[in-house]
Amino acid sequence: MTPQELAEASARAMWNDDSTSQRLDMVLEKIAPGAATLSMTVTEAMSNGHGNCHGGYIFTLADSTFAFACNSYNQVTVAQHCSITYLIPGRIGDRLTATATEVSRRGRSGIYDIRITNQEGAHVAEFRGHSRTVKGTHLPVES
């Protein structure tokens, strides 16, 4: 398999068991080795007491995008540390898009930056995730 085919197959295997992303109607827009783009529409059920998108949903979109990017090499990889900075509120009806970029991947550790924007391209939040590869693969490994 090419690296792109491996990323796509790993993403399919992960998506099948990812009930959170599915139930929030996220869409996997793009996948590539070390990169991913997911989007979702903010619904009224996702709003907080200020009438904006609850930060936890923005974090969840970013975290799911991070997961698909760092698991694109057919190695089970988990979050070791994550942080997010909110820049502007997401609004009900906004289509949020999270784009993950691999910053570093060495040994069992990785660093990924995820930018969340709205449908107008406004920068909603910035997420940084540190990953750690653990035992296991998403697909059978040929010997």
Side-chain angles (χ1 to χ4, degrees):
M1 259 189 228
T2 67
Q4 179 61 34
E5 290 169 337
L6 188 61
E8 290 170 5
S10 295
R12 278 191 302 275
M14 279 187 54
W15 185 262
N16 290 336
D17 293 328
D18 187 348
S19 61
T20 298
S21 297
Q22 291 178 33
R23 289 180 184 184
L24 291 175
D25 291 326
M26 290 183 194
V27 174
L28 178 60
E29 305 281 352
K30 294 180 188 173
I31 187 72
T37 301
L38 273 73
S39 63
M40 77 175 186
T41 299
V42 178
T43 65
E44 190 173 338
M46 298 174 182
S47 65
N48 62 18
H50 300 293
N52 298 319
C53 182
H54 189 288
Y57 288 101
I58 297 171
F59 187 98
T60 301
L61 174 63
D63 189 46
S64 288
T65 307
F66 167 48
F68 279 96
C70 68
N71 278 276
S72 61
Y73 299 100
N74 192 32
Q75 294 178 304
V76 175
T77 306
V78 297
Q80 182 177 24
H81 171 78
C82 306
S83 64
I84 192 164
T85 302
Y86 301 100
L87 303 171
I88 64 170
R91 308 267 186 216
I92 296 169
D94 278 356
R95 184 74 180 171
L96 300 181
T97 301
T99 304
T101 304
E102 187 176 86
V103 175
S104 174
R105 183 172 169 260
R106 298 179 61 92
R108 294 177 50 213
S109 299
I111 300 173
Y112 295 79
D113 284 340
I114 296 84
R115 176 171 286 215
I116 301 91
T117 57
N118 66 17
Q119 68 281 358
E120 296 168 357
H123 195 176
V124 173
E126 193 71 26
F127 175 107
R128 175 161 273 194
H130 297 246
S131 67
R132 189 74 171 167
T133 300
V134 296
K135 291 181 182 179
T137 60
H138 301 287
L139 307 166
V141 178
E142 296 176 10
S143 40

